[in-house]
Amino acid sequence: MSLVRINNGSLAYGYTPLLQKADFTIEAGERVCIVGRNGAGKSSLMKVLSGDVLLDEGEFNIATDVKVSRLQQDPPKAEQGTVYAYIAAGLQEVGEKLERYHQLSH
């Protein structure tokens, strides 16, 4: 059973198509790496998968027990602290423990 599936998905901003009749599937147990040149649509695909952006055309399905999270490409400009602390903050309680361990080990 597919955890995530895009069928015939299209997404464009202006005249630039980022996804054009694309099919994408993630099956249980798979590991996925999204690779491409700048502007190819990697971040836009992740926004579709996380539900932040809707496809212009096509079908998007996600299993009810699947949660997609993504890390923004750039931290907020007002953010203080280290990159490590910023990333650890996204991991909630585990992140707090990792940050504390990182501080103590240095």
Side-chain angles (χ1 to χ4, degrees):
M1 177 183 170
S2 300
L3 299 178
V4 175
R5 179 180 296 276
I6 294 175
N7 289 321
N8 210 27
S10 295
L11 178 67
Y13 293 107
Y15 296 108
T16 307
L18 296 172
L19 300 174
Q20 198 167 23
K21 299 186 185 285
D23 294 326
F24 179 82
T25 304
I26 301 175
E27 301 290 340
E30 285 186 318
R31 293 177 184 253
V32 178
C33 178
I34 301 172
V35 180
R37 62 178 171 71
N38 289 346
K42 300 177 300 291
S43 295
S44 296
L45 174 60
M46 288 302 301
K47 289 176 185 176
V48 169
L49 297 178
S50 67
D52 294 331
V53 170
L54 299 176
L55 291 171
D56 295 331
E57 295 179 10
E59 185 179 329
F60 171 64
N61 295 301
I62 187 165
T64 55
D65 58 338
V66 171
K67 179 180 176 185
V68 176
S69 299
R70 62 185 185 86
L71 180 65
Q72 299 291 334
Q73 286 182 307
D74 298 310
K77 300 218 184 297
E79 190 67 33
Q80 299 283 325
T82 66
V83 172
Y84 189 94
Y86 179 74
I87 293 172
L91 300 173
Q92 300 169 345
E93 185 179 329
V94 171
E96 291 172 15
K97 291 177 181 178
L98 282 171
E99 173 62 12
R100 183 71 180 136
Y101 171 80
H102 183 71
Q103 291 172 353
L104 292 171
S105 65
H106 284 85

